[in-house]
């Protein structure tokens, strides 16, 4: 009797713990990079959250709205951290 | 096998924006200073182009860019930012920019001490996008 490999669908993989772990690893590098910003209030507001959407798991790194917008416009801290993390 | 060198795209983007704004007929595109950094003498309408870095895949570089836009009225600042975004969306000609995508913004940047030109406080808008450019053999 032929053996069949058990393979998962793409849809299943996009919500898998392995993908979440990989995204969390990249997100942690982005978070660590952004934490080097000189504004302590901004750094204190940085958060990383993982959530499962309808089609895939996502990991978001962000700061509080007003100060986050100001720092991103002034120094591009998160964009640079993402670039350093290879994103 | 020869190595790959990636182009600097900041100057190209400044040129693209200057040409696009000059060609535009709208009033808020007139007299705009476009530079990588703010000029020492501020003008009523300014755009700065900032390279926020990014990875490459060995043949193309994909870098995030941040664009700060200032104008002496909030409406002009937002419209100028939207016009710059439209120009950038349409600028990929392969020489060397191949793709412009992942646009976000524009949004009004909260500023405690705004620049003042001619007695008017300037409004600051910001947007970002990703610029992909091809490398060449060196």
């Amino acid at each position: 009797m032929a053996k069949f490999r058990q393979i998962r669908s793409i849809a299943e993989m996009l919500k898998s713990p392995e993908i979440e772990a990989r995204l969390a690893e990249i997100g942690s590098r982005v978070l660590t990079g952004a934490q080097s910003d000189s504004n302590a209030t901004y750094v204190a507001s940085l958060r990383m959250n993982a959530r499962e959407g309808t089609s895939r798991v996502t990991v978001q790194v962000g700061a509080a709205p007003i100060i986050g917008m100001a720092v991103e416009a002034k120094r591009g801290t998160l964009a640079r951290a993402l670039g350093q993390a290879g994103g | 096998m020869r190595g790959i060198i990636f182009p600097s795209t900041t100057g190209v983007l400044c040129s693209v924006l200057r040409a696009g704004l000059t060609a535009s007929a709208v009033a808020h595109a007139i007299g705009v200073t476009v530079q990588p950094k703010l000029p020492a003498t501020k003008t009523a309408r300014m755009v700065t182009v900032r390279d926020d870095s990014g990875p490459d895949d060995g043949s193309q570089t994909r870098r995030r860019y941040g664009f700060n836009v200032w104008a002496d009225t909030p409406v002009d600042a937002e419209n100028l930012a939207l016009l710059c975004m439209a120009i950038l969306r349409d600028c990929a000609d392969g020489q060397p920019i191949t793709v412009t995508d992942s646009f976000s913004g524009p949004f009004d940047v909260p500023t405690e001490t705004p620049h003042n030109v001619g007695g008017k406080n300037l409004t600051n808008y910001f947007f970002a996008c990703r610029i992909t450019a091809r490398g060449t053999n060196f």
Side-chain angles (χ1 to χ4, degrees), chain B residues 95-123:
Chain B
Q95 303 296 333
I97 295 167
T98 51
V99 179
T100 58
D101 62 1
S102 299
F103 282 81
S104 61
F107 61 78
D108 185 359
V109 180
T111 314
E112 285 175 10
T113 51
H115 300 298
N116 189 290
V117 175
K120 285 184 171 180
N121 284 339
L122 302 188
T123 303

Side-chain angles (χ1 to χ4, degrees), chain B residues 53-116:
Chain B
S53 168
D56 71 71
D57 64 4
S59 64
Q60 302 217 62
T61 177
R62 294 179 177 82
R63 308 178 77 82
R64 294 292 302 175
Y65 268 86
F67 299 83
N68 276 287
V69 178
W70 288 267
D72 54 4
T73 70
V75 173
D76 275 4
E78 184 174 13
N79 284 334
L80 181 55
L82 290 167
L83 178 59
C84 290
M85 291 171 83
I87 292 166
L88 293 169
R89 278 197 180 93
D90 199 34
C91 78
D93 59 1
Q95 303 296 333
I97 295 167
T98 51
V99 179
T100 58
D101 62 1
S102 299
F103 282 81
S104 61
F107 61 78
D108 185 359
V109 180
T111 314
E112 285 175 10
T113 51
H115 300 298
N116 189 290

Side-chain angles (χ1 to χ4, degrees), chain A residues 66 69-70 72-76 79-80 82-84 86-87, chain B residues 50-55 62 64 68 107-110 124 126:
Chain A
I66 304 295
M69 291 156 79
E72 203 57 26
K74 194 168 187 180
R75 290 187 286 276
R80 285 168 187 259
L82 183 61
Q84 284 166 7
Chain B
R50 187 187 67 222
D51 182 356
D52 285 332
S53 168
R62 294 179 177 82
R64 294 292 302 175
N68 276 287
F107 61 78
D108 185 359
V109 180
N124 181 192
F126 177 79

Side-chain angles (χ1 to χ4, degrees), chain B residues 33-43 45-48 70 115:
Chain B
T33 308
V34 184
Q35 293 184 180
K37 291 189 184 298
L38 271 174
T41 305
K42 309 292 184 287
T43 61
R45 297 187 185 114
M46 302 181 287
V47 177
T48 60
W70 288 267
H115 300 298

